[in-house]
Amino acid sequence: MAPSAAEVAPLQVAAPTTAAEPPASTWVRESNLHWYHRWMIRVLQAGPIPRHVAFIMDGNRRYARKANIAKAEGHSAGFEKLSETLQWCLEVGITEVTVYAFSIENFKRTQEEVDTLMNLARDKFQRLLAERDKLHERGICIRIIGNWDLLEPDIRRSIAEAVLLTRHNRKAILNVAFAYTSRDEITHSIRTVAQAVGDGQLEPEDVNEELLTRCLYTKYSAEPDLLVRTSGEVRLSDFLLWQSATTVMYFTETLWPEFTIWHLLGAVFYYQRVRWRMVDVRKALDQYTDEGVASSCGKRNERVGRFLEYVEREEEHHLVRLVRGTGIK
C-alpha cells in the first residue's frame, strides 16, 4: 500500500539529524544517532517492526544536478547513504535489507556512466572484502542477487568471495540486487526448473509456485515486509515483482542521498499503520500454498528435495570456481 504525500509526512525535528560524516568510505558504520533518535526508535519498537525492508535507491543523478556535481559524485553519495541507512536499520531492529543497486536496464545508459558505475562497484566490493572482520564481528551475511554473467570477471570474483566469506553469518542480511531485474530472475527460475524436467530430475507435475520461488535469486530470503522508494517515482521498476504481493510500499519525494533517519522512521510508522490490510491477503495466499504442498506425495517431495540440494551444491561450487578464477567464461 502506498501513501500519498499528504497522508504521511516524515517525522521532523529542528535539531540536526546526524553527526559529522566519517572520513573514509565504509560498509560498516558506527552509530551516528542522538538520544532523540533512540527515543523515537524505542517508541516505534512498541509496535511491529518490519523484519525485511527493500529499498529502491533512486535519485542519485538528480541529486548530482541539484548539487551541481558530477554524476559519479552523486552515485558515490548514494553509496555513503546506503551504508548509513544499513546502520540505522540495524538499530531499528530490521534484520534483512535488500537494495536495488544496479538494474540490467542501467546497461542502456551511456557507456561513460556504465563504466563509472562498474568502477564504483569494483571499489566498493573490494572495500567490502577489506572489512571482512567487521562483517564477521557483526554477523552480517552478504548476498549479491542478479545475473552475474553480465558482469566483468574481476567483479564476479569479488562478489563471489564476499558471498562465500559471509554465508554463515546470521545476525543481519544484506541482499544487493546488482545486474538484476525481476523478469530476468523469474526467467532464470523457470529455466532452472525446465532443465531439471528435461534432464529427468523432476516430473512436469512437480512444478508449482513454491518450487519456482525456491529457484529464485532470493530463495534464501523472506518476502519483504516494507519497500521504500525515494525520489518521488511511484513504480517498482522491475524490482522484486514476484516477492511483493503483500509488501507495504512507501514512496517519498526525497532523493536517495538526502534520505535521513526521519524518513526511515516515517516509513516504519506507515508500515505499522497499514500492515493489517495485508494480513487477510497473506493468509489467503498461504492457505493456497499450504493446500498445494499438503497434497504433494512423498515421492514428489523426495524428488524436489534432491533437486534443490543439487542446485544449492552447484551454486556453491560455482562460487568457489569463481574465486579461484576457473569458473569465469
Side-chain angles (χ1 to χ4, degrees):
M1 302 296 294
S4 67
E7 183 180 358
V8 177
L11 303 172
Q12 295 181 356
V13 297
T17 59
T18 62
E21 291 293 327
S25 177
T26 178
W27 284 83
V28 184
R29 291 195 178 215
E30 300 301 324
S31 176
N32 62 1
L33 299 184
H34 297 292
W35 67 266
Y36 43 84
H37 298 133
R38 299 183 190 284
W39 181 81
M40 275 303 306
I41 288 172
R42 285 197 295 271
V43 171
L44 285 177
Q45 287 174 338
I49 297 295
R51 292 170 298 172
H52 182 186
V53 177
F55 291 93
I56 301 179
M57 307 178 293
D58 196 14
N60 291 343
R61 293 191 294 174
R62 273 171 279 179
Y63 172 79
R65 288 195 297 270
K66 177 180 176 181
N68 196 26
I69 58 177
K71 288 180 182 178
E73 294 180 66
H75 291 303
S76 293
F79 170 77
E80 297 303 326
K81 185 55 61 178
L82 167 60
S83 63
E84 191 174 26
T85 302
L86 293 176
Q87 178 57 35
W88 296 337
C89 287
L90 286 173
E91 297 188 69
V92 169
I94 297 163
T95 56
E96 183 166 7
V97 171
T98 300
V99 296
Y100 204 2
F102 188 85
S103 166
I104 292 174
E105 294 298 313
N106 292 152
F107 282 113
K108 297 178 182 179
R109 295 182 180 180
T110 65
Q111 191 60 48
E112 179 183 3
E113 185 172 0
V114 171
D115 290 343
T116 296
L117 290 168
M118 289 299 109
N119 288 332
L120 180 64
R122 284 186 178 90
D123 176 66
K124 301 311 178 186
F125 287 131
Q126 284 299 316
R127 182 64 188 169
L128 182 65
L129 294 174
E131 295 188 292
R132 64 186 70 188
D133 291 340
K134 290 183 179 179
L135 294 172
H136 289 316
E137 179 184 339
R138 301 198 184 186
I140 300 173
C141 173
I142 303 294
R143 298 172 183 157
I144 313 298
I145 59 174
N147 190 339
W148 292 20
D149 290 339
L150 301 177
L151 302 174
E152 293 295 325
D154 61 318
I155 296 179
R156 277 184 270 167
R157 186 178 295 114
S158 294
I159 62 180
E161 187 174 355
V163 171
L164 282 174
L165 280 171
T166 65
R167 68 189 186 280
H168 297 306
N169 294 341
R170 288 294 178 268
K171 290 183 180 178
I173 298 169
L174 171 61
N175 306 302
V176 181
F178 198 79
Y180 172 94
T181 62
S182 194
R183 286 175 295 176
D184 176 78
E185 178 183 33
I186 295 168
T187 302
H188 165 80
S189 177
I190 293 171
R191 280 192 186 130
T192 301
V193 172
Q195 183 175 345
V197 172
D199 294 343
Q201 291 178 285
L202 295 172
E203 297 295 330
E205 57 268 23
D206 294 338
V207 181
N208 60 14
E209 178 185 338
E210 182 201 15
L211 179 59
L212 291 174
T213 299
R214 295 179 71 178
C215 291
L216 295 171
Y217 297 142
T218 57
K219 57 182 167 290
Y220 300 115
S221 297
E223 294 180 356
D225 302 299
L226 171 66
L227 185 147
V228 177
R229 178 163 189 160
T230 57
S231 85
E233 297 292 341
V234 186
R235 52 194 172 90
L236 293 182
S237 297
D238 213 350
F239 180 55
L240 300 182
L241 301 182
W242 183 282
Q243 300 88 342
S244 300
T246 59
T247 299
V248 173
M249 298 181 188
Y250 181 86
F251 302 97
T252 174
E253 299 283 339
T254 306
L255 303 178
W256 174 249
E258 297 176 329
F259 192 76
T260 70
I261 180 63
W262 297 113
H263 294 101
L264 177 62
L265 298 182
V268 172
F269 180 58
Y270 177 77
Y271 165 81
Q272 293 178 338
R273 288 180 55 201
V274 306
R275 64 182 289 274
W276 61 270
R277 300 179 191 174
M278 296 297 186
V279 171
D280 290 340
V281 177
R282 181 73 271 167
K283 286 181 179 178
L285 290 174
D286 287 344
Q287 182 180 6
Y288 171 79
T289 303
D290 291 343
E291 287 175 355
V293 172
S295 65
S296 299
C297 68
K299 289 185 177 179
R300 186 262 179 193
N301 291 338
E302 289 179 10
R303 281 194 303 270
V304 170
R306 285 196 302 269
F307 164 67
L308 293 173
E309 289 175 2
Y310 166 79
V311 169
E312 187 171 347
R313 285 196 308 271
E314 285 299 301
E315 288 181 353
E316 185 165 345
H317 292 162
H318 182 58
L319 289 174
V320 172
R321 290 194 297 269
L322 284 175
V323 171
R324 292 174 177 171
T326 59
I328 298 174
K329 300 176 183 179

